[in-house]
Amino acid sequence: MGASPGTVGSLERRVFASLNGLPDALRAPLWLAQTAGVLAVPLVVAAAALVLRHWRLAVAAVLLVPAKLGVERDLLKVLVPRERPGTTIPGAVLRDVPSAGPSFPSGHALIAFGLVVLLAPYLRRRWVLAALTLAVLNSVARVYLGAHAPLDVVGGAAAGIAVAALLNIVVGVPVRPSGRRATVPG
């Protein structure tokens, strides 16, 4: 079981089929949700952080881009050779995504969950939950679109959490007086 042998097990295929087989009416909103994981999003977050004078967040968000590329391409895709659902799952519905190529981990999930961890020290709880919801929808969307199998997005999410936690340690996070979050309206 697991992603390491490069195969997709029966449980993972069933989860994939349940998400990938959702109605086509969800295509537009889920396509939009998957954009939360594109490589430019951390740079947009960094720009907003600069405007709000959250220097550490800006640095961490910029560093997330090369960290993502290194962990995804130079480490995990090498350690876990796994192809996209168009190659490994018969009957996969592909919605404007590649049918072949390396699949583990999902770089979109890595970015989306990494941003949740980077933003958490700066946001109030409800906004952290909103960011987490968007990250989960991003991962669901990647499976729905046929770009990734479920373990690909789980691996991407775990890698994103780990990378962002390390970045938070390296650049530091704001100290919260009286247990409150740093100031961001909401």
Side-chain angles (χ1 to χ4, degrees), residues 57-90:
L57 175 58
V59 169
V62 168
L63 290 175
L64 181 59
V65 173
K68 176 260 188 203
L69 294 172
V71 167
E72 176 192 19
R73 294 179 182 171
D74 299 333
L75 179 64
L76 294 175
K77 285 196 188 296
V78 172
L79 292 174
V80 184
R82 188 171 174 167
E83 289 291 315
R84 292 193 181 267
T87 304
T88 58
I89 301 175

Side-chain angles (χ1 to χ4, degrees), residues 22-98:
L22 290 171
D24 281 336
L26 296 173
R27 185 179 189 148
L30 287 177
W31 183 89
L32 187 60
Q34 68 96 31
T35 63
V38 298
L39 210 51
V41 175
L43 302 177
V44 171
V45 169
L50 287 173
V51 168
L52 296 170
R53 297 183 180 178
H54 292 298
W55 315 118
R56 292 174 180 166
L57 175 58
V59 169
V62 168
L63 290 175
L64 181 59
V65 173
K68 176 260 188 203
L69 294 172
V71 167
E72 176 192 19
R73 294 179 182 171
D74 299 333
L75 179 64
L76 294 175
K77 285 196 188 296
V78 172
L79 292 174
V80 184
R82 188 171 174 167
E83 289 291 315
R84 292 193 181 267
T87 304
T88 58
I89 301 175
V93 177
L94 306 181
R95 296 173 174 97
D96 299 321
V97 296

Side-chain angles (χ1 to χ4, degrees), residues 8-23 85 89-93 95 140 143-146 148-150:
V8 179
S10 61
L11 174 61
E12 187 179 13
R13 282 179 194 238
R14 287 194 303 273
V15 173
F16 177 86
S18 69
L19 295 175
N20 186 244
L22 290 171
I89 301 175
V93 177
R95 296 173 174 97
V140 167
V143 176
Y144 169 80
L145 293 170
H148 291 285

